[in-house]
Amino acid sequence: MKQYQMFIAGDFADAAAGELLDTVDPYRGDVWAKIPRAQAVDVDRAVRAAYDAMTKGAWSRYTATQRGKALNAIADLVDRHRDRLAEIETRDNGKLLRETRGQLGAIAECWRYYGGLADKIEGHSIPIEKPDALAFTSREPVGVVAALTAWNSPLWFAAIKCAPAMAAGCAVVVKPSEFASASTLEFAQLVKEAGLPPGVFNVVTGIGQESGAALVEHPNVAKITFTGSDVTGARVYETAARSMKRVSLELGGKSPNIVFADADLDLAAPGVVSGIFGASGQMCTAGSRLLVQRSIMEEFTGRLLDLARNIRLGDPMDPETDVGPIATPPQFQKVMDYLDVAQADGARCILGGKAAEGPGLTGGQFVQPTVFADVKNNMRIAQEEVFGPVLSIIGFGTEEEAVEIANEIDYGLVAGVWTTNIGRAVRMSKALHVGTVWINTYRAYSYMVPFGGMKRSGLGRESGIEAVNEYLETKSVIISIAEAAPGNPFIMR
Ligand code: NAD
């Protein structure tokens, strides 16, 4: 059995206490690897290594160009090891290998993108109103960055957090989810091979309330970038406030996918299916509230069910599989509980509604693709994040009503709009209180496009050029160029 070590100060290391956690393959249901169960003492070692790298180590002397080259070297290695990394991540979290492989291509490009940005981070010269002074700003790395990631896409989260942070000159400590840490530890080996100075990139593993909490509390961490649930995110935010750490949070969602009667239904039906059943619905962006204009309700529901009935559940490594297992036992239980909640609240189950069993469905964590009709927007199944293959259908009459229903929720991550009316598409994109609007598409991600939530879906933006600002502080410098001594010392200059 594979036994992983953490990556601290450029070397692989066990937890000081020597404790280990099991890593389970959600499809086979067996323990396939062990990872260290870190405690505060291990976290402290990693943060100190990062702090030293930034303040006195080689990284602190790297030019922006050298940082860019380092990130490009990582990108090349990710490309070279793409298939192996994809298999490890799929084994760890049960996401389709087809999808993980594709994502790894984007992950390599993401490292390259921020490698290219590293030497384009510039301050300004300011034409200050004082004739005897020169003013300029410089952009400085914020400090040690703690990156806490969720289990559904560990290497993607590591890339969109660490690449801009390292481009900015920060050193990072990553704490992947205890349910899927293997791919991040494999990736650490590539960082070592790329020849980055020790301490720039560190990985500590372990349980959220132990190593995760210790990282959030550590006095030498300046910035926290977190992807996970809104409940944990709020706790992280509260703790970080005590020491005034900078925080960005990528949290959950309950996103509306809105289909108008004028939509191209041949596009919209598979789009809705992909938005809720892709990755078994274990996406922060899951389009779990389907808003359908009432005049096409029957026809659209029919098309949707025809597609959803043919979904092939199975081994995530098999290229024929559409939907794999739920990644963790607690998540599986949560989905099962919501199936009961929905029925108890009066939603009508028109597809699935149970655990899926049968040949090839090993591991005991499959859920039937499930659709509830007659859902009211105030039901729990319409308001709370399930993080599973469970869709709620809500009808609407007018565009205004669609906007009202879509926005009547605490979350605001993404929304899908299906229409052939360009004016309506633009009006909807303005009216929806979400960070991303997808028009006639869904699950369209890019490391070049800012991504993040409004309301309870989070704080700050990842991806794109502006993401680098999350890891920078602006410093202002004013220099006197006056020849004469200052006048009255008691008056502001
Ligand atoms: P989670 O909140 O349980 O855990 C996220 C990370 O935080 C893990 O590394 C975990 O170990 C750590 N953690 C847990 N408790 C902690 C604590 N007290 N202090 C510090 N760290 C702690 O989330 P999860 O179950 O891994 O992931 C599922 C959630 O993530 C869903 O709600 C989903 O919507 C969200 N998510 C959001 C995005 C996004 O970009 N908006 C993307 C994917 C997933």
Side-chain angles (χ1 to χ4, degrees), residues 272-413:
V272 168
V273 165
S274 123
I276 186 61
F277 300 124
S280 313
Q282 300 169 106
M283 312 167 261
C284 52
T285 52
S288 48
R289 283 190 303 154
L290 171 62
L291 275 54
V292 183
Q293 200 153 21
R294 282 193 198 94
S295 57
I296 55 158
M297 179 65 88
E298 205 182 316
E299 181 189 354
F300 192 74
T301 306
R303 283 175 180 246
L304 179 71
L305 294 183
D306 284 348
L307 291 173
R309 275 195 203 100
N310 288 318
I311 287 173
R312 286 161 305 200
L313 300 178
D315 183 350
M317 298 281 183
D318 182 343
E320 297 297 311
T321 298
D322 296 321
V323 169
I326 299 295
T328 74
Q331 186 55 38
F332 175 75
Q333 194 48 52
K334 183 177 164 196
V335 178
M336 297 312 292
D337 290 348
Y338 269 110
L339 298 179
D340 294 340
V341 164
Q343 313 229 32
D345 282 357
R348 185 164 55 92
C349 186
I350 56 172
L351 185 74
K354 294 196 188 80
E357 286 156 6
L361 304 186
T362 57
Q365 283 171 205
F366 279 90
V367 177
Q368 294 176 344
T370 296
V371 179
F372 286 105
D374 301 341
V375 174
K376 305 270 176 300
N377 199 38
N378 60 4
M379 289 180 181
R380 285 183 63 196
I381 197 66
Q383 292 288 317
E384 299 175 16
E385 185 182 47
V386 176
F387 221 59
V390 181
L391 181 67
S392 297
I393 307 183
I394 304 173
F396 69 87
T398 62
E399 191 177 309
E400 292 69 31
E401 197 189 345
V403 170
E404 209 174 288
I405 297 170
N407 286 340
E408 253 175 29
I409 191 141
D410 286 342
Y411 292 109
L413 193 60

Side-chain angles (χ1 to χ4, degrees), residues 55-316:
T55 51
K56 51 186 185 207
W59 189 242
S60 66
R61 294 183 294 276
Y62 262 43
T63 62
T65 310
Q66 286 174 308
R67 291 202 303 273
K69 281 186 181 163
L71 268 54
N72 273 296
I74 292 175
D76 292 345
L77 284 165
V78 171
D79 261 341
R80 204 170 313 149
H81 292 267
R82 177 175 174 176
D83 287 349
R84 192 174 59 82
L85 289 172
E87 270 175 35
I88 288 161
E89 192 153 295
T90 288
R91 189 155 195 202
D92 225 7
N93 70 3
K95 198 164 176 162
L96 294 191
L97 182 61
R98 271 184 297 166
E99 180 152 307
T100 317
R101 252 195 211 132
Q103 209 176 27
L104 268 144
I107 288 166
E109 292 303 339
C110 174
W111 282 96
R112 219 163 261 132
Y113 174 80
Y114 287 107
L117 190 61
D119 58 4
K120 290 156 200 81
I121 298 167
E122 298 171 340
H124 296 293
S125 138
I126 297 165
I128 190 170
E129 80 286 5
K130 302 177 198 306
D132 56 357
L134 171 70
F136 65 89
T137 58
S138 66
R139 311 278 285 136
E140 301 193 350
V142 65
V144 172
V145 172
L148 298 135
T149 62
W151 41 260
N152 51 345
S153 290
L155 284 178
W156 170 258
F157 299 138
I160 58 171
K161 293 175 187 308
C162 300
M166 287 158 64
C170 298
V172 297
V173 180
V174 185
K175 195 334 242 145
S177 165
E178 51 271 46
F179 293 108
S181 294
S183 57
T184 310
L185 293 166
E186 295 277 352
F187 171 77
Q189 177 65 43
L190 303 187
V191 174
K192 192 174 168 76
E193 276 177 40
L196 270 81
V200 177
F201 179 88
N202 307 272
V203 184
V204 291
T205 51
I207 294 171
Q209 292 88 334
E210 297 175 355
S211 54
L215 193 52
V216 171
E217 281 163 22
H218 199 289
N220 287 125
V221 168
K223 157 87 187 182
I224 295 162
T225 166
F226 172 90
T227 295
S229 63
D230 56 340
V231 175
T232 312
R235 193 172 311 146
V236 165
Y237 197 16
E238 250 179 76
T239 308
R242 280 185 234 135
S243 50
M244 218 55 89
K245 291 180 171 64
R246 278 70 179 126
V247 176
S248 40
L249 303 168
E250 296 292 342
L251 308 176
K254 188 79 191 178
S255 298
N257 214 345
I258 308 167
V259 183
F260 285 95
D262 63 26
D264 178 340
L265 301 189
D266 290 337
L267 279 182
V272 168
V273 165
S274 123
I276 186 61
F277 300 124
S280 313
Q282 300 169 106
M283 312 167 261
C284 52
T285 52
S288 48
R289 283 190 303 154
L290 171 62
L291 275 54
V292 183
Q293 200 153 21
R294 282 193 198 94
S295 57
I296 55 158
M297 179 65 88
E298 205 182 316
E299 181 189 354
F300 192 74
T301 306
R303 283 175 180 246
L304 179 71
L305 294 183
D306 284 348
L307 291 173
R309 275 195 203 100
N310 288 318
I311 287 173
R312 286 161 305 200
L313 300 178
D315 183 350

